Amino acid sequence: MTVDRILPTDEAHDLLDLTTELADRELAPRAAQYEERAEFPREVLRTLGRAGLLGLPYPQEHGGAAQPYEVYLQVLEILAGRWLAVAEAVSVHTLSCYPLARFGTDEQRKLLPDMLDGELLGAYCLSEPQGGSDAAALTTRAVQDGDTYTVTGTKAWITHARVADFYNVFCRTGGPGPKGISCLLVDRATDGLYPQTAERTMGLRSSPVAQVVFDAARVPADRLIGGAGSGFTIAMSALDAGRLGIAACAVGLAQAALDYAVGYARQRQQFGRAIIDFQGLGFTLADHATQISAARALLLSAARLRDAGRPYSIEAAKAKLFATDVAMRVTTDAVQVLGGAGYVLDHPVERYMREAKVLQIVEGTNQIQRLVIARSLARD
């Protein structure tokens, strides 16, 4: 089904048309096979980079496209509707460019053009085996020795762990708590950096996720981003934007599941009529269409606050919470609409359902989003 969008410029309309064309040509035909083989589509990411889709929200002087966040998120939505792993890769890469783009020095930002055009792929190393939601308790430590830092520790659940060219590593350079955390930009070729075997995941199998071990890895001190002790502020600022990226992925995935279920329900005949004409099923699909539209509206409202330079952290949490819960509900029910056919690999809805689950977990679990929202209500 066509989504009726209100976009800020004619250029944005052209951009979404280009995205749709690329997604239909480069993503949709490959998704099932790459997922089955658990193969990362690095060349697809380079294609998107050459088309300018990996640096959309960043300034033109650094190689970006200077697009509003509301436009970038709708690009993610379109990509996710064809292949969630690629949309998530774009979201993670965009998140990985944020610390340098927002907090880096002019000298450090000379690295940005190669990042934003997709020649260099990024990873974001915040979570650890003993703590994901409690980011302020991270234990990976960086000790300065002259003009280098020696980094020791283990990061967990790192998207692009085995294929990234650079890693944003949040590590402890000071005492306990958030004020002791800093951010280092680490090259993949750094001695002592060891990505581990990829996790065997329920969904997003073409997206490599693994632990990354730092064993006395030596990182030049000039790769410190934002100054010592500013890492937690950088991480939380980046995650606000990252949550909107995941919400956009959820909207795109839910829309794809609804579209497929509707198409099937129009064609499938039972008792002499299309099953979509039965009220029990038709009402379910109507609820899903309404919930997806509501999730999209919530997402774009938060994005427009960000574009206007206004606080949007709580709205981002709401959008991530609602959109990912909707995606889980819609994809699960899409399997039910197809019945037995929904449970086999011949149809993509079983993959959609498996993929939706992770969106309720990454960039802060939905329980954490509820906690963030509830605390804001208590303060108000």
Side-chain angles (χ1 to χ4, degrees):
M1 291 180 286
T2 301
V3 176
D4 190 13
R5 303 179 188 275
I6 299 175
L7 296 168
T9 63
D10 290 340
E11 181 186 9
H13 281 283
D14 293 340
L15 177 61
L16 264 62
D17 287 343
L18 170 65
T19 302
T20 301
E21 178 185 343
L22 282 171
D24 288 341
R25 187 180 72 236
E26 303 290 342
L27 274 62
R30 292 180 167 91
Q33 288 186 338
Y34 273 70
E35 289 293 324
E36 185 175 355
R37 297 195 302 259
E39 180 180 348
F40 181 65
R42 184 65 179 91
E43 284 307 310
V44 172
L45 269 294
R46 287 194 175 93
T47 297
L48 297 182
R50 287 191 289 269
L53 299 187
L54 297 188
L56 290 176
Y58 292 110
Q60 290 179 328
E61 60 263 31
H62 300 312
Q67 286 296 314
Y69 225 70
E70 68 165 303
V71 174
Y72 158 66
L73 293 176
Q74 290 179 84
V75 167
L76 276 187
E77 179 191 334
I78 291 169
L79 297 176
R82 276 67 169 183
W83 190 354
L84 179 62
V86 169
E88 190 231 16
V90 174
S91 181
V92 168
H93 178 73
T94 302
L95 177 72
S96 299
C97 294
Y98 177 83
L100 183 60
R102 174 67 178 82
F103 296 94
T105 65
D106 289 341
E107 183 65 25
Q108 289 171 334
R109 288 191 185 122
K110 291 179 180 178
L111 298 169
L112 268 176
D114 285 341
M115 295 178 178
L116 298 182
D117 69 10
E119 286 305 309
L120 299 178
L121 188 68
Y124 191 83
C125 301
L126 180 61
S127 295
E128 297 185 352
Q130 75 283 0
S133 296
D134 188 7
L138 64 82
T139 60
T140 296
R141 178 162 288 279
V143 177
Q144 187 169 9
D145 179 15
D147 60 357
T148 63
Y149 281 94
T150 301
V151 184
T152 301
T154 301
K155 293 296 181 177
W157 309 115
I158 306 305
T159 300
H160 300 160
R162 298 174 60 82
V163 296
D165 298 295
F166 66 93
Y167 296 79
N168 292 275
V169 182
F170 294 89
C171 47
R172 192 163 298 285
T173 56
K179 293 184 179 179
I181 296 172
S182 299
C183 178
L184 290 171
L185 185 66
V186 182
D187 288 337
R188 69 178 300 173
T190 300
D191 289 339
L193 187 159
Y194 302 108
Q196 302 299 292
T197 301
E199 305 285 357
R200 297 186 298 166
T201 54
M202 177 191 297
L204 292 181
R205 291 172 178 164
S206 62
S207 176
V209 175
Q211 290 189 355
V212 179
V213 173
F214 297 87
D215 184 8
R218 295 184 65 78
V219 181
D222 62 9
R223 289 300 186 91
L224 179 69
I225 305 297
S230 62
F232 191 77
T233 299
I234 294 172
M236 294 302 103
S237 176
L239 285 178
D240 285 340
R243 285 166 180 163
L244 293 181
I246 295 303
C249 288
V251 171
L253 184 66
Q255 186 69 61
L258 175 64
D259 291 350
Y260 199 91
V262 168
Y264 184 89
R266 287 172 175 170
Q267 297 298 319
R268 175 68 168 167
Q269 297 281 323
Q270 290 287 280
F271 306 103
R273 55 200 290 208
I275 62 173
I276 199 169
D277 293 331
F278 290 98
Q279 192 175 84
L281 193 150
F283 278 14
T284 296
L285 295 174
D287 285 343
H288 290 168
T290 302
Q291 291 160 6
I292 293 169
S293 291
R296 184 179 292 113
L298 188 59
L299 168 68
L300 293 179
S301 176
R304 286 163 185 153
L305 286 174
R306 185 187 190 279
D307 287 334
R310 296 171 58 181
Y312 72 99
S313 178
I314 304 305
E315 297 309 307
K318 292 176 184 176
K320 197 272 183 183
L321 168 64
F322 186 75
T324 58
D325 279 354
V326 166
M328 191 73 252
R329 188 179 310 120
V330 172
T331 55
T332 301
D333 284 349
V335 173
Q336 191 71 21
V337 169
L338 270 68
Y343 199 66
V344 299
L345 300 182
D346 299 337
H347 300 275
V349 290
E350 61 83 28
R351 173 165 60 86
Y352 296 161
M353 185 180 78
R354 290 185 287 103
E355 291 174 338
K357 186 67 226 176
V358 75
L359 299 177
Q360 295 179 303
I361 299 170
V362 296
E363 307 289 12
T365 67
N366 282 8
Q367 287 73 24
I368 288 294
Q369 307 313 313
R370 290 182 171 91
L371 182 62
V372 168
I373 298 163
R375 285 178 174 172
S376 75
L377 296 174
R379 289 194 302 269
D380 292 344

